Amino acid sequence: MVNHPKGMAAGQFEEARRRYAHDLRTLRKQRGVSLETIYVETRIPKSVLQDYETSGLYHNESFHEVYLRSLTKAYALVVGLDLDQILSALGRALDGSYNGGLMSARESEAEEAAGSENESPRQDPASISEPKSGASSPK
């Protein structure tokens, strides 16, 4: 179990952790990855994954910081999240200062992707097929 930093209200601390867990669940769903897929890839029990996405596993003494970092790495790899960003967010959740940075980064990625979709598509030269030998050219 991770302790509250000195001088931090318990409610603020728990809210940061719940926000982090909620953001993980939202990102996973946005990327179309099921808990079943994470379970199959990592062998982390689905009940642990569900608890991780609702509470952050902070209330359970067996899920100390080393375990949480390991679980977070495995989860991030399957979901396709940036390891440095997710571990930084975990650190902020553990110290109670997480403020939703994962969602902000994801939202900006979505905006960038939407902007690039509006550009005129270019055809990859390798995708242009050559006429088969012996085929006549269109008239």
Side-chain angles (χ1 to χ4, degrees):
M1 177 183 241
V2 182
N3 295 322
H4 299 282
K6 291 182 179 181
M8 182 172 286
Q12 179 184 355
F13 187 70
E14 294 302 319
E15 179 57 30
R17 292 175 170 190
R18 277 192 296 275
R19 188 178 305 121
Y20 168 77
H22 174 267
D23 287 356
L24 289 176
R25 182 176 58 253
T26 301
L27 288 169
R28 175 186 59 78
K29 287 180 178 182
Q30 285 176 349
R31 291 172 182 245
V33 179
S34 69
L35 287 178
E36 178 70 22
T37 299
I38 298 172
Y39 164 72
V40 168
E41 295 289 324
T42 65
R43 292 298 181 211
I44 297 168
K46 282 191 254 181
S47 61
V48 171
L49 292 168
Q50 289 169 334
D51 199 12
Y52 181 56
E53 287 187 341
T54 54
S55 72
L57 295 173
Y58 306 114
H59 62 281
N60 190 318
E61 291 184 14
S62 62
F63 299 121
H64 51 77
E65 187 172 349
V66 173
Y67 180 87
L68 286 172
R69 287 180 60 81
S70 177
L71 183 145
T72 300
K73 286 179 185 179
Y75 182 98
L77 287 171
V78 175
V79 175
L81 302 173
D82 179 84
L83 281 177
D84 291 334
Q85 183 182 19
I86 194 79
L87 290 174
S88 175
L90 173 64
R92 292 190 314 275
L94 290 172
D95 71 18
S97 66
Y98 180 75
N99 63 3
L102 286 175
M103 291 308 297
S104 297
R106 177 69 178 137
E107 289 166 2
S108 66
E109 286 176 16
E111 288 176 8
E112 288 175 20
S116 66
E117 289 174 2
N118 293 333
E119 295 175 9
S120 60
R122 293 185 209 166
Q123 190 168 10
D124 180 14
S127 69
I128 300 172
S129 61
E130 294 291 323
K132 296 183 179 181
S133 60
S136 62
S137 59
K139 295 183 180 181

